[in-house]
Amino acid sequence: MVKAAYVHIPFCEHICHYCDFNKVFLKNQPVDNYITSLLLEMERMMESHPTSALKTVYIGGGTPTALTPNQLNTLLKGMREVLPLTEVEEFTIEVNPDSIEEEKLRVLKDHGINRLSMGVQTFKENLLKEIGRTHSRESVVDAIARSREAGFENISLDLMFGLPSQKPRDFQETILEAMALGVEHLSAYSLKVEEKTVFYIRQRQGKLTLPPEEDEIIMYEQLLAETKKAGYHQYEISNFAKTGYESKHNLVYWDNQEYYGFGAGAHGYVNQVRYQNHGPLPKYLRAIAADVAPVLTEHQVTPIERIEEAMFMGLRKRVGVNRTEFNRIYGRSLEECFGEQIERLQKRGLLQSDEYGIKLTEEGLLLSNEVFEQFIAVLES
């Protein structure tokens, strides 16, 4: 039974230079029509693939808080009428420091949102400008203060390292500033230059200067050291939380569980089928208007693929892959499937094994992608 849902809001008031998520400029877009279509997609999914109760919901983008208070109210009220939300434990929405105002916060709170994920990336003004962000350090501080006043007790900040012109000291100061604000959760990711972004164009033109790999390693090591010192628990490669504030929704992904994906460009995983919706807004809206699923691609996940996914997703978690659970779900032991790979990675000091299962070592964290590759395309169907 599906217990999680992701909802995509593709509208942005400004496009960041690194972003490759499905998004469009807000101005002159059919936002109200999109919300109506989104709710119709949810209603039809509940008819075709019902669930008794969702436990986690995540509204991402784009910039969900680019919607007006009335539009947010329409969306959230409609979701409560269509989806089984009475037992939701974690209800997250992504927010932009520039678009958080008292009335919007009140709407979010009134409809049961209990977790805010704020895109900050850095507290350095020169770097904010470099990556195309429009907020300032002061607006972040102010947004968090207003969120606290509105009653939000679970706030997560997104940070980035490996940014153009960023030095290890810059990132260390950003980490310290973020933790000084008392937030419950931090996510920190290394910049990846993706196609169809401003940074990709600049890189192709030779106009993008990124930090050397050794500096990125130093930044990640700083992240590990400073968060640990401040009492944040690293529960996933890029995620750190105070005790009890780990993201329940993201754990759905890392535990390789199924989830609904609603909205233009959204990904979902239902009945062992991974799917992606149409990204372009007109195509998504036309599909909904024609009463057909707005799905662009579907892939039936094979038993072998499920096992492989369980490994490279599960190893992202610091507790690793549970031996007993793996055997229960897939009917095979870890060693039966990957004994040779596990032994080889242990000898290299990248994996460790115990009665619980297997997990990355400290060195394995730095070479995680190399570890994950060892579990792909090695099993016979």
Side-chain angles (χ1 to χ4, degrees):
M1 190 70 72
V2 182
K3 299 294 184 183
Y6 172 79
V7 181
H8 192 71
I9 306 298
F11 308 110
C12 284
E13 294 171 300
H14 181 79
I15 305 299
C16 301
H17 295 169
Y18 54 84
C19 181
D20 72 326
F21 294 124
N22 190 50
K23 74 280 183 184
V24 293
F25 282 111
L26 178 65
K27 188 176 181 180
N28 298 324
Q29 294 296 335
V31 180
D32 294 333
N33 186 16
Y34 180 77
I35 293 172
T36 300
S37 300
L38 190 54
L39 295 173
L40 277 172
E41 183 193 1
M42 295 175 187
E43 184 177 345
R44 292 166 185 170
M45 180 65 84
M46 290 303 100
E47 292 172 354
S48 61
H49 297 88
T51 187
S52 58
L54 292 173
K55 297 297 183 182
T56 74
V57 179
Y58 191 105
I59 304 177
T63 308
T65 49
L67 302 185
T68 66
N70 283 339
Q71 289 167 341
L72 284 169
N73 182 67
T74 300
L75 171 65
L76 295 170
K77 182 176 182 292
M79 286 174 60
R80 289 211 164 271
E81 293 171 351
V82 173
L83 301 177
L85 300 182
T86 55
E87 297 180 21
V88 168
E89 298 170 359
E90 182 184 275
F91 199 159
T92 304
I93 189 168
E94 291 181 354
V95 300
N96 189 322
D98 282 348
S99 58
I100 282 294
E101 57 189 51
E102 185 178 342
E103 190 176 358
K104 289 182 184 180
L105 288 168
R106 185 167 58 249
V107 170
L108 301 182
K109 191 70 176 174
D110 287 347
H111 286 290
I113 301 286
N114 58 16
R115 184 174 184 269
L116 304 181
S117 178
M118 193 175 298
V120 173
Q121 318 317 345
T122 177
F123 284 98
K124 296 293 182 180
E125 301 290 346
N126 64 312
L127 291 178
L128 286 170
K129 183 177 180 180
E130 179 74 21
I131 65 178
R133 298 290 287 181
T134 57
H135 71 263
S136 65
R137 177 192 175 280
E138 287 72 23
S139 63
V140 174
V141 174
D142 184 55
I144 291 174
R146 281 185 277 117
S147 298
R148 295 299 193 197
E149 289 173 5
F152 288 95
E153 300 176 349
N154 190 353
I155 299 176
S156 176
L157 301 187
D158 282 353
L159 307 177
M160 295 181 73
F161 60 96
L163 300 174
S165 306
Q166 189 180 39
K167 306 297 183 186
R169 182 173 181 80
D170 296 328
F171 185 58
Q172 184 177 32
E173 290 175 357
T174 281
I175 300 166
L176 294 174
E177 284 202 65
M179 294 188 300
L181 291 170
V183 295
E184 288 71 29
H185 187 280
L186 294 173
S187 295
Y189 300 94
S190 171
L191 171 69
K192 296 291 185 292
V193 179
E194 306 285 358
E195 290 188 17
K196 300 179 182 178
T197 64
V198 173
F199 277 170
Y200 180 76
I201 295 170
R202 288 183 182 174
Q203 190 176 59
R204 294 277 306 258
Q205 295 172 341
K207 297 178 181 179
L208 186 69
T209 303
L210 299 176
E213 184 179 354
E214 52 267 32
D215 276 5
E216 277 204 47
I217 293 173
I218 291 172
M219 292 181 206
Y220 187 66
E221 290 175 336
Q222 288 173 336
L223 175 67
L224 302 183
E226 297 295 352
T227 51
K228 183 177 182 180
K229 193 188 306 181
Y232 287 79
H233 164 62
Q234 184 190 21
Y235 67 101
E236 192 267 349
I237 289 176
S238 301
N239 287 270
F240 307 79
K242 293 181 179 179
T243 302
Y245 290 95
E246 297 83 359
S247 171
K248 294 178 181 179
H249 184 81
N250 284 341
L251 284 167
V252 168
Y253 303 146
W254 301 322
D255 286 336
N256 206 28
Q257 298 175 7
E258 297 191 341
Y259 60 95
Y260 299 114
F262 299 118
H267 293 253
Y269 182 26
V270 178
N271 285 352
Q272 297 184 29
V273 174
R274 292 196 180 275
Y275 64 91
Q276 179 184 0
N277 282 349
H278 287 292
L281 215 52
K283 287 189 176 181
Y284 173 83
L285 295 174
R286 281 199 298 269
I288 298 295
D291 196 12
V292 298
V295 175
L296 172 66
T297 61
E298 288 184 319
H299 174 68
Q300 179 75 47
V301 180
T302 69
I304 295 300
E305 288 171 333
R306 290 182 66 211
I307 292 174
E308 292 174 346
E309 290 175 354
M311 293 301 292
F312 64 75
M313 296 298 288
L315 283 172
R316 292 190 62 89
K317 300 180 298 179
R318 292 301 285 126
V319 296
V321 178
N322 182 281
R323 190 182 306 281
T324 302
E325 278 296 291
F326 185 93
N327 198 314
R328 180 185 67 81
I329 295 171
Y330 304 109
R332 304 166 70 177
S333 71
L334 282 169
E335 280 71 23
E336 180 184 352
C337 292
F338 302 109
E340 181 181 329
Q341 289 76 19
I342 293 171
E343 182 179 0
R344 183 165 62 245
L345 290 166
Q346 280 184 285
K347 288 180 179 179
R348 292 183 57 192
L350 304 180
L351 271 189
Q352 63 186 67
S353 176
D354 55 27
E355 291 183 0
Y356 174 90
I358 61 170
K359 62 181 179 180
L360 294 174
T361 62
E362 295 298 317
E363 186 177 354
L365 282 174
L366 300 175
L367 298 172
S368 57
N369 287 334
E370 186 175 334
V371 173
F372 301 155
E373 289 172 0
Q374 303 303 307
F375 298 100
I376 298 174
V378 295
L379 294 177
E380 295 182 2
S381 57

